[in-house]
Amino acid sequence: MNIATRPSEKIAIGHSACPHDCPSTCALDIEILPDGKMGRVRGADNSYTAGVICAKVARYAERLYHPDRLMHPMRRTGAKGAGSWRQVTWEQALDEIAEAFAKAEAKDGSESVWPYFYAGTMGWVQRDSIERLTAAKKYSGFFDSICVNPAWTGYVMGTGQLRGPDPREMAKSDCVVIWGTNAVSTQVNVMTHAMRARKERGAKVVAIDIYDTPTMKQADLKLILKPGTDAALACAVMHVAFRDGYADRDYMARYTDDPQGLEAHVANKTPQWASAITGLSVEEIETFARLVGETKKSYFRLGYGFTRSRNGAVSMHAALSVASVLGSWQYEGGGAFHSNSHIFGMDNRLLTGRSLVDPSIRELDQSELGRILTGDARALRNGPPVTAMLIQNTNPANVMPEQRLVRQGFARNDLFVAVHEQFMTETAEIADIVLPATMFVEHHDIYRGGGQSHIMLGPKLVEPPQDVRTNLFVIEELAKRLGVADQPGFGMSERAHIERILSVPGLPSYDDLLNDRWFDRQPDFRTAHYLDGFAHPDGKFRFRPDWVGQKGSVRPPDSIGLLGPYDRLPEFPDYCPVIEEVDEAHPFRLATPPARNFLNSSFTETRTSREKEGRPEVMIAPADALALDIQAGDIVTIGNDRGSIRIHARVTETTKPGVLIVEGLWPNKAHLDGEGVNVLTGADNVAPFGGVGLHDNRVWLHK
């Protein structure tokens, strides 16, 4: 059953899934107290979650019952951002939003309205219904580029599809390589299965990252390389594999496109060559290459972090290619995994209004928000200005790159913005209308996990505050006011949408999913390991990716076209120097990875998370601090051509000389001058399908 009761305690246990933007999508057991309120949250006995969840979600009641939670619709009464508000009714707020949208459309056409959303909830109904309104009204489309594009592109270039060996197979591996993800802090379940392999099989755990993360501290071998140089390490490992006989030539002959060409290509990609690029020693590279070469059951768990550079797609493809050279895919507990996002086969066409989409309507790149709102003609695709927005499930005034442009754009007096949110985020603060939103236990939704293989239901478990509404409610009410409520997909309940999403042969019914709690969609072993061929027409893994012609779920629409310096992408796996390399004026590389107690800009409002994180700080290697006469706790300035911020210094062996780390994402106002780290990040497109190099910034630093 979906809710079970402990008779002796009179505490019910509700079953749900974590809604936040994390690949784990943990199965949750949630206490429902006798007064109907949420109590403690625990990991469920799902075979992937295995009873383990992160601490921030375990204390979710702190967020649900936060005193600063938004409780009523409000209208701005003073200047933008001045914090002057008046409570209004839902009817008044929705009427005003619809009127503003109609006014913008009458003046500059339907494309002047841009509904803007992302992954504040990963529930399909509450996240994606806004797309149906966009399509029905012919508003500017939303090209969601900031997160997955480089990683997914690089992986699909090799395999042809976004799936891989069962993530639970890590527990059956003899070597788990955690590459480009700080799993201890951001995907705790990866560590659950990796540590099981170590305990039960004596498996070795390797961590590859750009600084000494908590995951590194759990590893048998840690490799700390320079940001953006992962492909050089991968090429050197493949060089050693060919040189020393670890390469599985029979496997490559059957399953890959051009092993001879790859071998010739990496013949000069020696550990010495890679050492000069990565900053790793030759011995470190040789040790790693020998370990995975001698360990048939090596499982490469490839994360998002190392793809958040301007060469991110190339780096993912290169790291992925190592498993194909070694033939690791053949073994249970072997192969390379990034995401299972293509295995689920759920039907969201009605939910998102696919039949209503007009391909002649422009799509705008989410990551170029600052350029769009400040009138950049290329970013606007030479169309009209954006003069009205509805924002759900994201906090762009904090999370988007080129923050000074973003803030400048939002400050325009001719731009109307409505924000549907749970807290008064920095985006909500500069809106015209703010609407209070439900949290995941207060509405119905359906989830699926890219980092695992389960479809899960998230039913409503507690009542929301009286004046708080769901995302679906807002979309339905605006559709009525804007004259499209009669279009397909509107007028349906959350349950009706979920039933339609599940109306695919092989998927469970709503009631089955409600009773069984989850449904495992993991493909069989041969399919998951591509033993009947990879998902390209010829069945071959691509060492020579078709960077220009490859189709994919994140490929930009034709109206946008290929992005970034795609003409510089290499024929075979290689280090691609399209990153922001240091120069005399900018001698440091800056990366902005996640903090353990935040999730993007969520949880920054809760007291416990803020106390555990302390304050915004920049990690500086002792040698760099000494050279610049910087002491721990000093206020320093970091800057580049985009701007500068002041921040406290943390002098630590955690990072290597020449590399600066600012963990976050802290609100802008938590910083000394009210400007956050994304002042320093750029919105340049990652080739070939877009994305943002959030960890790819050259900067200067001074006291």
Side-chain angles (χ1 to χ4, degrees):
M1 294 296 292
N2 188 257
I3 297 182
T5 303
R6 298 176 183 167
S8 60
E9 302 177 29
K10 295 185 179 179
I11 295 176
I13 303 299
H15 305 298
S16 190
C18 179
H20 287 279
D21 189 9
C22 167
S24 288
T25 316
C26 291
L28 304 178
D29 289 342
I30 300 172
E31 291 183 348
I32 309 299
L33 305 178
D35 61 1
K37 290 189 174 182
M38 177 192 216
R40 296 183 62 182
V41 182
R42 298 179 177 86
D45 59 354
N46 171 287
S47 59
Y48 183 75
T49 302
V52 180
I53 60 172
C54 67
K56 53 186 172 285
V57 172
R59 54 178 183 264
Y60 210 92
E62 182 180 5
R63 191 168 191 272
L64 190 71
Y65 302 117
H66 197 292
D68 293 337
R69 186 174 172 187
L70 292 172
M71 292 294 183
H72 306 284
M74 293 183 290
R75 176 194 292 129
R76 175 174 62 85
T77 59
K80 285 194 174 187
S84 179
W85 301 94
R86 180 167 68 85
Q87 183 177 327
V88 295
T89 67
W90 271 97
E91 290 292 318
Q92 291 170 325
L94 292 164
D95 286 348
E96 189 163 333
I97 296 169
E99 182 180 347
F101 282 16
K103 181 179 178 181
E105 183 175 355
K107 181 176 183 294
D108 292 308
S110 64
E111 291 180 324
S112 64
V113 182
W114 190 24
Y116 193 97
F117 70 105
Y118 204 50
T121 176
M122 295 295 280
W124 279 32
V125 176
Q126 306 299 344
R127 183 190 63 193
D128 298 339
S129 291
I130 194 172
E131 292 194 71
R132 188 169 65 259
L133 180 66
T134 299
K137 285 296 299 175
K138 314 305 179 192
Y139 294 151
S140 284
F142 185 82
F143 177 53
D144 52 345
S145 61
I146 193 170
C147 182
V148 304
N149 292 33
W152 287 18
T153 299
Y155 193 92
V156 171
M157 287 290 169
T159 63
Q161 199 170 50
L162 202 62
R163 57 175 168 83
D166 190 331
R168 292 163 293 196
E169 283 186 32
M170 280 183 283
K172 300 177 181 180
S173 176
D174 294 326
C175 178
V176 180
V177 180
I178 302 171
W179 196 330
T181 181
N182 179 12
V184 167
S185 295
T186 63
Q187 292 184 63
V188 65
N189 311 98
V190 170
M191 301 308 297
T192 297
H193 299 285
M195 292 302 105
R196 181 181 168 193
R198 172 190 279 166
K199 181 179 180 180
E200 296 180 1
R201 303 178 57 82
K204 298 298 183 184
V205 176
V206 181
I208 305 173
D209 216 316
I210 60 173
Y211 70 118
D212 196 355
T213 66
T215 303
M216 291 275 185
K217 294 172 173 50
Q218 300 293 321
D220 300 290
L221 175 63
K222 60 182 183 182
L223 302 175
I224 303 176
L225 38 62
K226 294 179 181 178
T229 65
D230 302 78
L233 171 61
C235 287
V237 171
M238 290 186 282
H239 169 93
V240 173
F242 284 114
R243 184 196 71 192
D244 293 351
Y246 302 131
D248 190 329
R249 297 180 185 279
D250 179 63
Y251 174 85
M252 285 188 287
R254 287 183 290 136
Y255 286 103
T256 70
D257 63 341
D258 190 359
Q260 293 82 11
L262 176 66
E263 182 173 8
H265 175 74
V266 300
N268 63 350
K269 311 298 182 187
T270 64
Q272 291 77 9
W273 167 84
S275 175
I277 296 170
T278 64
L280 297 169
S281 69
V282 171
E283 181 181 1
E284 287 177 308
I285 297 170
E286 292 275 8
T287 298
F288 174 50
R290 184 167 57 253
L291 174 62
V292 295
E294 294 176 348
T295 309
K296 296 297 184 184
K297 299 175 73 168
S298 288
Y299 191 106
F300 294 83
R301 181 58 174 86
L302 307 175
Y304 285 97
F306 76 111
T307 71
R308 303 205 192 285
S309 293
R310 288 167 177 79
N311 59 5
V314 172
S315 293
M316 172 60 80
H317 176 256
L320 174 69
S321 296
V322 175
S324 293
V325 169
L326 299 175
S328 307
W329 301 96
Q330 301 168 90
Y331 309 103
E332 186 177 32
F337 179 84
H338 171 64
S339 173
N340 258 337
S341 292
H342 284 172
I343 71 171
F344 296 98
M346 297 152 69
D347 185 355
N348 70 347
R349 290 174 296 176
L350 187 64
L351 175 73
T352 58
R354 195 82 51 84
S355 67
L356 306 175
V357 172
D358 181 345
S360 71
I361 299 296
R362 71 178 176 186
E363 288 194 33
L364 299 177
D365 188 340
Q366 161 198 27
S367 301
E368 296 184 318
L369 176 63
R371 302 180 187 189
I372 289 165
L373 295 186
T374 53
D376 182 288
R378 188 203 62 81
L380 286 165
R381 309 299 159 193
N382 297 309
V386 169
T387 58
M389 300 178 71
L390 168 65
I391 299 175
Q392 289 185 323
N393 309 320
T394 187
N395 181 16
N398 183 211
V399 305
M400 283 295 121
E402 298 180 351
Q403 273 289 300
R404 288 188 175 173
L405 285 180
V406 172
R407 303 286 292 194
Q408 179 185 335
F410 273 126
R412 284 170 36 207
N413 288 324
D414 67 333
L415 174 65
F416 173 87
V417 177
V419 173
H420 190 200
E421 254 295 358
Q422 297 161 347
F423 293 92
M424 187 60 79
T425 64
E426 287 170 309
T427 305
E429 287 175 346
I430 52 179
D432 299 282
I433 295 286
V434 175
L435 307 172
T438 51
M439 296 193 192
F440 78 107
V441 290
E442 299 168 338
H443 56 237
H444 301 282
D445 218 326
I446 189 169
Y447 304 87
R448 56 103 174 129
Q452 46 138 317
S453 58
H454 292 96
I455 299 170
M456 288 175 281
L457 202 63
K460 180 180 177 181
L461 299 176
V462 303
E463 289 298 322
Q466 183 176 0
D467 214 15
V468 174
R469 301 287 185 270
T470 67
N471 288 3
L472 180 62
F473 172 86
V474 170
I475 299 307
E476 288 290 334
E477 291 299 312
L478 288 177
K480 294 174 186 176
R481 288 163 171 80
L482 293 165
V484 293
D486 61 338
Q487 296 296 303
F490 292 101
M492 296 171 60
S493 67
E494 292 155 336
R495 174 165 180 156
H497 275 297
I498 294 169
E499 289 175 338
R500 180 59 180 262
I501 289 167
L502 292 171
S503 64
V504 174
L507 293 185
S509 69
Y510 181 98
D511 288 331
D512 287 342
L513 193 55
L514 184 69
N515 289 324
D516 297 339
R517 301 162 58 187
W518 48 73
F519 180 78
D520 194 348
R521 196 64 161 158
Q522 178 63 41
D524 64 82
F525 179 83
R526 292 192 64 84
T527 302
H529 287 253
Y530 298 99
L531 296 184
D532 294 318
F534 286 87
H536 292 293
D538 60 1
K540 304 287 189 179
F541 180 91
R542 297 278 172 85
F543 288 135
R544 299 175 63 184
D546 183 0
W547 293 113
V548 173
Q550 176 72 45
K551 302 298 182 184
S553 60
V554 297
R555 187 183 177 99
D558 292 341
S559 62
I560 291 179
L562 296 174
L563 296 169
Y566 60 88
D567 57 333
R568 295 181 59 186
L569 300 181
E571 181 181 13
F572 287 100
D574 207 342
Y575 170 64
C576 185
V578 295
I579 60 175
E580 279 199 355
E581 297 188 85
V582 298
D583 57 23
E584 185 175 356
H586 307 86
F588 293 95
R589 296 266 289 153
L590 168 69
T592 60
R596 186 168 190 166
N597 291 284
F598 301 152
L599 202 162
N600 300 325
S601 68
S602 295
F603 297 96
T604 61
E605 66 282 330
T606 57
R607 178 181 57 83
T608 303
S609 287
R610 292 176 71 98
E611 287 178 352
K612 287 181 176 294
E613 291 302 326
R615 65 185 180 189
E617 293 180 330
V618 57
M619 299 181 192
I620 305 172
D624 291 330
L626 180 64
L628 295 170
D629 191 28
I630 293 170
Q631 306 294 320
D634 282 352
I635 295 174
V636 299
T637 303
I638 319 172
N640 55 24
D641 295 341
R642 303 177 193 103
S644 63
I645 63 169
R646 294 192 308 140
I647 191 169
H648 288 92
R650 186 196 311 175
V651 180
T652 173
E653 298 281 358
T654 296
T655 189
K656 286 192 169 184
V659 177
L660 305 177
I661 301 292
V662 177
E663 291 185 332
L665 183 66
W666 285 92
N668 299 324
K669 57 190 173 186
H671 288 259
L672 293 169
D673 299 313
E675 288 191 301
V677 72
N678 277 321
V679 164
L680 307 174
T681 59
D684 335 29
N685 304 124
V686 175
F689 295 167
V692 180
L694 291 169
H695 301 345
D696 185 356
N697 310 283
R698 62 183 177 198
V699 296
W700 46 261
L701 167 71
H702 64 70
K703 190 171 177 179

PDB file of all heavy atoms in Angstrom, residues 464-479:
ATOM      1  N   PRO A 464      -1.508  20.955   1.611  1.00  0.00           N
ATOM      2  CA  PRO A 464      -0.707  22.186   1.517  1.00  0.00           C
ATOM      3  C   PRO A 464      -1.350  23.299   2.339  1.00  0.00           C
ATOM      4  O   PRO A 464      -2.519  23.202   2.727  1.00  0.00           O
ATOM      5  CB  PRO A 464      -0.757  22.513   0.024  1.00  0.00           C
ATOM      6  CG  PRO A 464      -2.066  21.942  -0.428  1.00  0.00           C
ATOM      7  CD  PRO A 464      -2.271  20.688   0.381  1.00  0.00           C
ATOM      8  N   PRO A 465      -0.608  24.363   2.599  1.00  0.00           N
ATOM      9  CA  PRO A 465      -1.216  25.543   3.224  1.00  0.00           C
ATOM     10  C   PRO A 465      -2.407  26.024   2.394  1.00  0.00           C
ATOM     11  O   PRO A 465      -2.474  25.802   1.177  1.00  0.00           O
ATOM     12  CB  PRO A 465      -0.079  26.561   3.233  1.00  0.00           C
ATOM     13  CG  PRO A 465       1.170  25.737   3.242  1.00  0.00           C
ATOM     14  CD  PRO A 465       0.841  24.532   2.400  1.00  0.00           C
ATOM     15  N   GLN A 466      -3.330  26.700   3.022  1.00  0.00           N
ATOM     16  CA  GLN A 466      -4.634  26.999   2.427  1.00  0.00           C
ATOM     17  C   GLN A 466      -4.546  27.762   1.115  1.00  0.00           C
ATOM     18  O   GLN A 466      -5.327  27.525   0.192  1.00  0.00           O
ATOM     19  CB  GLN A 466      -5.477  27.797   3.429  1.00  0.00           C
ATOM     20  CG  GLN A 466      -6.887  28.099   2.933  1.00  0.00           C
ATOM     21  CD  GLN A 466      -7.726  28.802   3.978  1.00  0.00           C
ATOM     22  OE1 GLN A 466      -7.254  29.064   5.085  1.00  0.00           O
ATOM     23  NE2 GLN A 466      -8.968  29.117   3.648  1.00  0.00           N
ATOM     24  N   ASP A 467      -3.599  28.663   0.987  1.00  0.00           N
ATOM     25  CA  ASP A 467      -3.552  29.545  -0.177  1.00  0.00           C
ATOM     26  C   ASP A 467      -2.397  29.213  -1.127  1.00  0.00           C
ATOM     27  O   ASP A 467      -1.960  30.063  -1.897  1.00  0.00           O
ATOM     28  CB  ASP A 467      -3.433  31.005   0.299  1.00  0.00           C
ATOM     29  CG  ASP A 467      -4.168  31.973  -0.627  1.00  0.00           C
ATOM     30  OD1 ASP A 467      -4.980  31.507  -1.446  1.00  0.00           O
ATOM     31  OD2 ASP A 467      -3.919  33.191  -0.525  1.00  0.00           O
ATOM     32  N   VAL A 468      -1.922  27.976  -1.062  1.00  0.00           N
ATOM     33  CA  VAL A 468      -0.797  27.536  -1.888  1.00  0.00           C
ATOM     34  C   VAL A 468      -1.317  26.595  -2.969  1.00  0.00           C
ATOM     35  O   VAL A 468      -2.175  25.753  -2.702  1.00  0.00           O
ATOM     36  CB  VAL A 468       0.271  26.845  -1.014  1.00  0.00           C
ATOM     37  CG1 VAL A 468       1.372  26.242  -1.868  1.00  0.00           C
ATOM     38  CG2 VAL A 468       0.852  27.841  -0.013  1.00  0.00           C
ATOM     39  N   ARG A 469      -0.812  26.728  -4.203  1.00  0.00           N
ATOM     40  CA  ARG A 469      -1.351  25.971  -5.328  1.00  0.00           C
ATOM     41  C   ARG A 469      -0.244  25.249  -6.104  1.00  0.00           C
ATOM     42  O   ARG A 469       0.916  25.648  -6.104  1.00  0.00           O
ATOM     43  CB  ARG A 469      -2.095  26.905  -6.291  1.00  0.00           C
ATOM     44  CG  ARG A 469      -3.246  27.664  -5.660  1.00  0.00           C
ATOM     45  CD  ARG A 469      -4.437  26.756  -5.375  1.00  0.00           C
ATOM     46  NE  ARG A 469      -5.577  27.507  -4.887  1.00  0.00           N
ATOM     47  CZ  ARG A 469      -5.816  27.770  -3.599  1.00  0.00           C
ATOM     48  NH1 ARG A 469      -4.956  27.351  -2.666  1.00  0.00           N
ATOM     49  NH2 ARG A 469      -6.884  28.457  -3.233  1.00  0.00           N
ATOM     50  N   THR A 470      -0.665  24.220  -6.837  1.00  0.00           N
ATOM     51  CA  THR A 470       0.259  23.426  -7.647  1.00  0.00           C
ATOM     52  C   THR A 470       0.629  24.149  -8.938  1.00  0.00           C
ATOM     53  O   THR A 470      -0.078  25.042  -9.408  1.00  0.00           O
ATOM     54  CB  THR A 470      -0.363  22.070  -8.011  1.00  0.00           C
ATOM     55  OG1 THR A 470      -1.468  22.298  -8.888  1.00  0.00           O
ATOM     56  CG2 THR A 470      -0.832  21.326  -6.772  1.00  0.00           C
ATOM     57  N   ASN A 471       1.703  23.678  -9.555  1.00  0.00           N
ATOM     58  CA  ASN A 471       2.078  24.183 -10.878  1.00  0.00           C
ATOM     59  C   ASN A 471       0.981  23.909 -11.894  1.00  0.00           C
ATOM     60  O   ASN A 471       0.673  24.747 -12.746  1.00  0.00           O
ATOM     61  CB  ASN A 471       3.373  23.521 -11.352  1.00  0.00           C
ATOM     62  CG  ASN A 471       4.590  24.000 -10.593  1.00  0.00           C
ATOM     63  OD1 ASN A 471       4.487  24.800  -9.668  1.00  0.00           O
ATOM     64  ND2 ASN A 471       5.755  23.499 -10.978  1.00  0.00           N
ATOM     65  N   LEU A 472       0.408  22.708 -11.829  1.00  0.00           N
ATOM     66  CA  LEU A 472      -0.644  22.351 -12.782  1.00  0.00           C
ATOM     67  C   LEU A 472      -1.837  23.294 -12.657  1.00  0.00           C
ATOM     68  O   LEU A 472      -2.420  23.701 -13.672  1.00  0.00           O
ATOM     69  CB  LEU A 472      -1.082  20.901 -12.560  1.00  0.00           C
ATOM     70  CG  LEU A 472      -2.177  20.387 -13.492  1.00  0.00           C
ATOM     71  CD1 LEU A 472      -1.703  20.408 -14.941  1.00  0.00           C
ATOM     72  CD2 LEU A 472      -2.624  18.983 -13.090  1.00  0.00           C
ATOM     73  N   PHE A 473      -2.198  23.657 -11.459  1.00  0.00           N
ATOM     74  CA  PHE A 473      -3.302  24.591 -11.253  1.00  0.00           C
ATOM     75  C   PHE A 473      -3.040  25.906 -11.984  1.00  0.00           C
ATOM     76  O   PHE A 473      -3.924  26.452 -12.666  1.00  0.00           O
ATOM     77  CB  PHE A 473      -3.488  24.851  -9.754  1.00  0.00           C
ATOM     78  CG  PHE A 473      -4.460  25.947  -9.431  1.00  0.00           C
ATOM     79  CD1 PHE A 473      -5.823  25.691  -9.336  1.00  0.00           C
ATOM     80  CD2 PHE A 473      -4.023  27.262  -9.216  1.00  0.00           C
ATOM     81  CE1 PHE A 473      -6.722  26.716  -9.044  1.00  0.00           C
ATOM     82  CE2 PHE A 473      -4.910  28.279  -8.919  1.00  0.00           C
ATOM     83  CZ  PHE A 473      -6.269  28.013  -8.841  1.00  0.00           C
ATOM     84  N   VAL A 474      -1.840  26.431 -11.847  1.00  0.00           N
ATOM     85  CA  VAL A 474      -1.508  27.709 -12.487  1.00  0.00           C
ATOM     86  C   VAL A 474      -1.625  27.599 -14.001  1.00  0.00           C
ATOM     87  O   VAL A 474      -2.197  28.473 -14.667  1.00  0.00           O
ATOM     88  CB  VAL A 474      -0.094  28.164 -12.074  1.00  0.00           C
ATOM     89  CG1 VAL A 474       0.369  29.359 -12.908  1.00  0.00           C
ATOM     90  CG2 VAL A 474      -0.066  28.523 -10.586  1.00  0.00           C
ATOM     91  N   ILE A 475      -1.100  26.523 -14.564  1.00  0.00           N
ATOM     92  CA  ILE A 475      -1.159  26.338 -16.021  1.00  0.00           C
ATOM     93  C   ILE A 475      -2.602  26.209 -16.485  1.00  0.00           C
ATOM     94  O   ILE A 475      -3.009  26.810 -17.494  1.00  0.00           O
ATOM     95  CB  ILE A 475      -0.335  25.107 -16.430  1.00  0.00           C
ATOM     96  CG1 ILE A 475       1.139  25.295 -16.043  1.00  0.00           C
ATOM     97  CG2 ILE A 475      -0.482  24.842 -17.919  1.00  0.00           C
ATOM     98  CD1 ILE A 475       1.782  26.566 -16.539  1.00  0.00           C
ATOM     99  N   GLU A 476      -3.411  25.449 -15.779  1.00  0.00           N
ATOM    100  CA  GLU A 476      -4.813  25.271 -16.161  1.00  0.00           C
ATOM    101  C   GLU A 476      -5.582  26.590 -16.090  1.00  0.00           C
ATOM    102  O   GLU A 476      -6.369  26.914 -16.996  1.00  0.00           O
ATOM    103  CB  GLU A 476      -5.468  24.231 -15.245  1.00  0.00           C
ATOM    104  CG  GLU A 476      -5.014  22.805 -15.495  1.00  0.00           C
ATOM    105  CD  GLU A 476      -5.522  22.252 -16.810  1.00  0.00           C
ATOM    106  OE1 GLU A 476      -6.572  22.711 -17.293  1.00  0.00           O
ATOM    107  OE2 GLU A 476      -4.858  21.353 -17.372  1.00  0.00           O
ATOM    108  N   GLU A 477      -5.361  27.358 -15.044  1.00  0.00           N
ATOM    109  CA  GLU A 477      -6.089  28.613 -14.888  1.00  0.00           C
ATOM    110  C   GLU A 477      -5.669  29.645 -15.930  1.00  0.00           C
ATOM    111  O   GLU A 477      -6.502  30.397 -16.457  1.00  0.00           O
ATOM    112  CB  GLU A 477      -5.892  29.161 -13.474  1.00  0.00           C
ATOM    113  CG  GLU A 477      -6.576  28.341 -12.396  1.00  0.00           C
ATOM    114  CD  GLU A 477      -8.082  28.280 -12.600  1.00  0.00           C
ATOM    115  OE1 GLU A 477      -8.702  29.342 -12.830  1.00  0.00           O
ATOM    116  OE2 GLU A 477      -8.647  27.160 -12.540  1.00  0.00           O
ATOM    117  N   LEU A 478      -4.392  29.684 -16.262  1.00  0.00           N
ATOM    118  CA  LEU A 478      -3.952  30.603 -17.309  1.00  0.00           C
ATOM    119  C   LEU A 478      -4.491  30.172 -18.668  1.00  0.00           C
ATOM    120  O   LEU A 478      -4.848  31.020 -19.496  1.00  0.00           O
ATOM    121  CB  LEU A 478      -2.426  30.685 -17.334  1.00  0.00           C
ATOM    122  CG  LEU A 478      -1.783  31.434 -16.162  1.00  0.00           C
ATOM    123  CD1 LEU A 478      -0.263  31.385 -16.272  1.00  0.00           C
ATOM    124  CD2 LEU A 478      -2.260  32.887 -16.112  1.00  0.00           C
ATOM    125  N   ALA A 479      -4.546  28.870 -18.900  1.00  0.00           N
ATOM    126  CA  ALA A 479      -5.103  28.384 -20.171  1.00  0.00           C
ATOM    127  C   ALA A 479      -6.546  28.842 -20.351  1.00  0.00           C
ATOM    128  O   ALA A 479      -6.963  29.216 -21.460  1.00  0.00           O
ATOM    129  CB  ALA A 479      -5.015  26.861 -20.224  1.00  0.00           C
TER     130      ALA A 479
END
